[in-house]
Amino acid sequence: MLNRDEEREFSTVTVRRSPAKKGAPSPLNPTAQRLQHSLHARFNTAINILLGAANAHDLRRWLTLLALCVSIILQYAIVLLPTSACGSCSGGAFLGSLFASAYVTAAGACFYIRPGPIAKHVFLGSLVSVIPASFTASTQVVISRLAAAVNAYGVDGAGIDPGQGLVHSTADTYALRGLKASNFRFDLMGQSHSKRSLDGPGILGTFCAVPIVPDGWTPAEVVPFWYVCNNYWGMFMDCDLAYKGVYNENDSYGWNSLSECLRKPEELIINANLTGSELLNPLMYFYQLDFAPNFDEVSATFFRKAITEASVFHRIMIRYDAPLLRLAQTQEPCCQILIKTTNDEAIIFSIVLVLPFVLACAWLNVYRFTFQHKFIEKASLLTRQHLKSIYLGHGR
């Protein structure tokens, strides 16, 4: 029998006497094999975890972009549905704007209480689209009003006589034929200086009313039309001086807009004469003061003050139901061109405000997606090298 020291020496000698053949792989005991399999399993698990995390992160990023787009669409729906439900009325647009503001508030509160990428993009989508959505709703109100306009264009669109204003007092648009400079009685013009009370001294404005009369009209007859202008609350000015252009160009605040409005009809008449219009009675197109897209019904009160002043100072007959006219934006029949222009403005406004924000978010997602995958590939390579070095270390 061998004692323990002899057994240890014998086993050592035995191992040394049986070296492995040159070039043959050294056999691994079961413990080493289990370690190798464990390392391979851990390596594969690490790679799967990295790739799985990347895919999940990419999915969350695209879901945030989807949440942004859905929030924008929802905001438009919240505003436009009440507007359409009442037939594109102003009350529906106002109610839709209130709902839109409530949606922004609710989305912001959710993001504040439970912050996260989805909640953040829902809030951003509602916020960036609230103004263009409300503007689109108001545009639909204007387009509805334009589509339902009552036109006083005469028989076959040949225009009406300047003396027929009281006959067509409820019309929205007018085409007056045969107008000359003498039909605009600037010598009988009335003006009013009014103040719109706000905080402080208030805002001051000038309002001018010019009689439009037919040939042969006398002050004993009622004025059929009034051509009206104002300086958009640009302080107190003199209407007669603004019409004559007698003011300091270096101090033109409040003067330019008023002077341009008062002189515009005569410029159109002069231009028509210079171009040699083929029409025997060229038409001039006007809108009622409160007709779309200028819902300025409050200012009619200020213009009536100017009409009253003209009646008092020039002793002319007036009726307050006589149409108050302003020049049409385009000297063409209403309202197809104006509808198209108004609708195009709403579309452009929405695109300019909303689309760049959506594209920026999409580009950011694409950039992060590309950058992250490069980082994952680098991390995977480093992980493989690290595990290989561990394996080789154990192998030694």
Side-chain angles (χ1 to χ4, degrees), residues 171-235:
D172 296 310
T173 67
Y174 298 85
L176 303 186
R177 66 171 181 261
L179 286 178
K180 301 182 292 293
S182 59
N183 296 121
F184 292 85
R185 297 296 300 269
F186 287 96
D187 57 321
L188 304 177
M189 177 169 51
Q191 70 177 17
S192 69
H193 293 157
S194 302
K195 181 173 70 172
R196 185 170 61 181
S197 297
L198 296 173
D199 295 337
I203 301 177
L204 310 177
T206 302
F207 301 83
C208 311
V210 182
I212 302 178
V213 297
D215 296 336
W217 175 87
T218 64
E221 299 174 313
V222 177
V223 176
F225 286 107
W226 291 89
Y227 177 63
V228 296
C229 295
N230 65 70
N231 65 347
Y232 303 99
W233 304 103
M235 305 296 291

Side-chain angles (χ1 to χ4, degrees), residues 223-288:
V223 176
F225 286 107
W226 291 89
Y227 177 63
V228 296
C229 295
N230 65 70
N231 65 347
Y232 303 99
W233 304 103
M235 305 296 291
F236 290 164
M237 308 296 170
D238 185 271
C239 291
D240 187 60
L241 294 179
Y243 165 66
K244 295 176 180 178
V246 182
Y247 58 90
N248 188 356
E249 292 290 345
N250 296 326
D251 186 22
S252 60
Y253 175 74
W255 288 100
N256 282 342
S257 60
L258 188 61
S259 178
E260 181 181 354
C261 176
L262 291 171
R263 298 164 68 93
K264 189 66 176 178
E266 289 186 352
E267 292 179 3
L268 292 176
I269 293 171
I270 293 173
N271 291 336
N273 293 333
L274 291 176
T275 56
S277 176
E278 298 179 356
L279 294 176
L280 179 61
N281 294 314
L283 303 180
M284 190 176 295
Y285 294 92
F286 297 87
Y287 298 152
Q288 275 269 28

